[in-house]
Amino acid sequence: MLVVLYHAARWLDRAGPDTDGWQQVNATLASLRMPLFFTMAGMFAYSWIWKRTWREVTRVKLLLYAWVFIIWECIGTAFFWWGTGIGKPRIGIRDALTGLAKSLIQPSLEAGSSGRWRCAS
C-alpha cells in the first residue's frame, strides 16, 4: 500500500490536482517504505530459496511477476497518458508508447527531468 500511495501521489501531482496531503504522508513514510519492503521480502524468500528448485522459483515467481509487470505497465501508461491531460496539454501518444517500450530496461517514472537517476523517495 505504501508503494501504491507513493506512485499515485506522484502521478496525480504531475497531472495537476492538489496532492499536498498525500505528499506530506509520503514524506513521513519515506524512511519506512523500502526497509519494510525488503524485510518482508526476506521473510517470504527463505522457503523459496532453500526449499525449492530454481526451476520452481523461475516458473512460479519470476514468470508470474514478468507478465503481471507487463500488464500493469500497459495499464499504468494508459492512465498516466490520460492523467497528464487533466489541466495541462497531454503528452503525445508516441512519447507515451516510447516510454512504455523503454520501461522494460529503464523505469520511466523514476528518472528526473534531466534523464539522470534520482532517489525515488
Side-chain angles (χ1 to χ4, degrees):
M1 290 307 299
L2 295 176
V3 172
V4 170
L5 175 66
Y6 170 75
H7 285 289
R10 284 197 56 185
W11 291 353
L12 286 174
D13 185 51
R14 195 160 180 200
D18 180 27
T19 59
D20 289 339
W22 268 5
Q23 298 297 346
Q24 290 177 353
V25 170
N26 274 329
T28 303
L29 298 173
S31 63
L32 177 68
R33 186 174 28 252
M34 292 310 290
L36 182 61
F37 171 79
F38 283 109
T39 299
M40 291 180 68
M43 290 170 51
F44 292 116
Y46 178 81
S47 66
W48 280 97
I49 291 173
W50 298 110
K51 297 180 181 179
R52 310 288 175 120
T53 66
W54 281 108
R55 178 172 281 181
E56 285 180 289
V57 172
T58 301
R59 182 178 50 82
V60 175
K61 294 292 183 182
L62 297 178
L63 294 179
L64 168 69
Y65 293 119
W67 77 266
V68 169
F69 171 77
I70 291 169
I71 288 173
W72 280 107
E73 275 297 301
C74 292
I75 292 170
T77 297
F79 275 96
F80 182 72
W81 177 79
W82 174 77
T84 58
I86 300 173
K88 296 181 182 180
R90 179 171 283 131
I91 64 170
I93 190 71
R94 182 177 178 193
D95 291 335
L97 292 175
T98 301
L100 176 61
K102 287 182 181 178
S103 70
L104 295 173
I105 56 171
Q106 176 188 4
S108 59
L109 297 177
E110 301 304 323
S113 59
S114 65
R116 294 187 177 169
W117 293 103
R118 62 186 170 116
C119 181
S121 57

